[in-house]
Amino acid sequence: MTEIIQRIYEVFDQRGDEMYGNEAVTQRQHALQSGLLARKSGQSSQQIVAALLHDIGHILSESELPHSTEENLDDQHEERAYEWLKKYFGAAVADPVRLHVAAKRYLCSKYEDYESKLSPTSLKSYYDQGGKMSDAELATFESEPFYKQALALREWDDTAKDPNRETPVIQDFETELKTCLIA
Ligand SMILES: [Fe+2]
């Protein structure tokens, strides 16, 4: 097994039991449920790995994450996870991860009922991250090559919060992880 996949397993061993913010699931449950939702909807390996690792920026060690050059603190962990993921898995995995916070703003701006699908924590962060997008922001988001993948990822992210849902172990995703490695 490659070093990077081993490192991902270690990160989840070390910090996967931490709670996912104020939600009722752990980081591990949230990641695995997101990956499973992607897999169940018949997505590519890249999209499944993006779903599985979309919040790895929260649990990777500080020394592994590059410092963000972004001014905007709100999206720092996505940006930093993006830099890390891009090195090993390329844009098809890293770009949807980078865009998944903006994707929530996009979905709430485009679809009136989307806010009602958000947990209270997620709704609060939506406002903290800037709330509704302007027309220019919507257009910029749609110019991203992987914006549709980011929207799909966002919907799994917002659903993957069930404390009672059964999940496999992270090693169950080894085939997809190996398929996506570029380095
Ligand atoms: Fe998430």
Side-chain angles (χ1 to χ4, degrees):
M1 190 194 325
T2 67
E3 217 172 283
I4 190 65
I5 295 178
Q6 189 59 47
R7 180 63 195 132
I8 289 166
Y9 294 166
E10 277 170 18
V11 169
F12 278 93
D13 271 350
Q14 288 160 359
R15 300 194 56 191
D17 290 331
E18 290 178 19
M19 294 310 285
Y20 178 57
N22 292 326
E23 308 289 355
V25 288
T26 63
Q27 292 282 352
R28 183 187 295 104
Q29 286 175 306
H30 180 62
L32 293 170
Q33 287 181 21
S34 298
L36 271 189
L37 287 165
R39 190 190 267 167
K40 281 185 181 153
S41 61
Q43 299 291 318
S44 66
S45 294
Q46 284 77 10
Q47 187 69 335
I48 293 167
V49 170
L52 182 71
L53 301 180
H54 75 274
D55 278 331
I56 200 163
H58 285 306
I59 55 176
L60 271 173
S61 68
E62 283 295 309
S63 59
E64 280 172 292
L65 291 169
H67 288 290
S68 174
T69 52
E70 294 291 309
E71 297 268 316
N72 184 353
L73 291 177
D74 289 330
D75 62 3
Q76 198 171 44
H77 93 270
E78 294 79 32
E79 291 287 345
R80 294 158 81 207
Y82 162 76
E83 297 293 341
W84 189 84
L85 289 169
K86 193 174 62 171
K87 261 194 294 185
Y88 305 110
F89 296 106
V93 170
D95 263 354
V97 172
R98 175 173 59 84
L99 294 169
H100 85 275
V101 168
K104 176 167 60 177
R105 292 185 59 213
Y106 181 94
L107 288 166
C108 288
S109 306
K110 281 282 220 194
Y111 307 104
E112 269 185 17
D113 66 333
Y114 201 83
E115 278 189 31
S116 68
K117 296 181 185 171
L118 301 179
S119 67
T121 306
S122 191
L123 189 62
K124 183 187 178 305
S125 62
Y126 161 60
Y127 288 111
D128 290 346
Q129 286 146 3
K132 221 173 184 161
M133 281 182 165
S134 66
D135 288 346
E137 286 175 311
L138 290 169
T140 301
F141 187 83
E142 286 174 357
S143 73
E144 290 278 354
F146 289 97
Y147 88 92
K148 287 189 176 155
Q149 286 86 342
L151 295 176
L153 167 50
R154 185 71 227 184
E155 299 214 37
W156 302 319
D157 185 6
D158 291 325
T159 312
K161 297 177 179 179
D162 180 351
N164 300 314
R165 193 175 302 158
E166 289 273 326
T167 49
V169 292
I170 191 162
Q171 286 80 358
D172 190 61
F173 288 90
E174 193 157 308
T175 304
E176 287 103 335
L177 286 163
K178 279 186 174 160
T179 302
C180 295
L181 278 179
I182 58 162

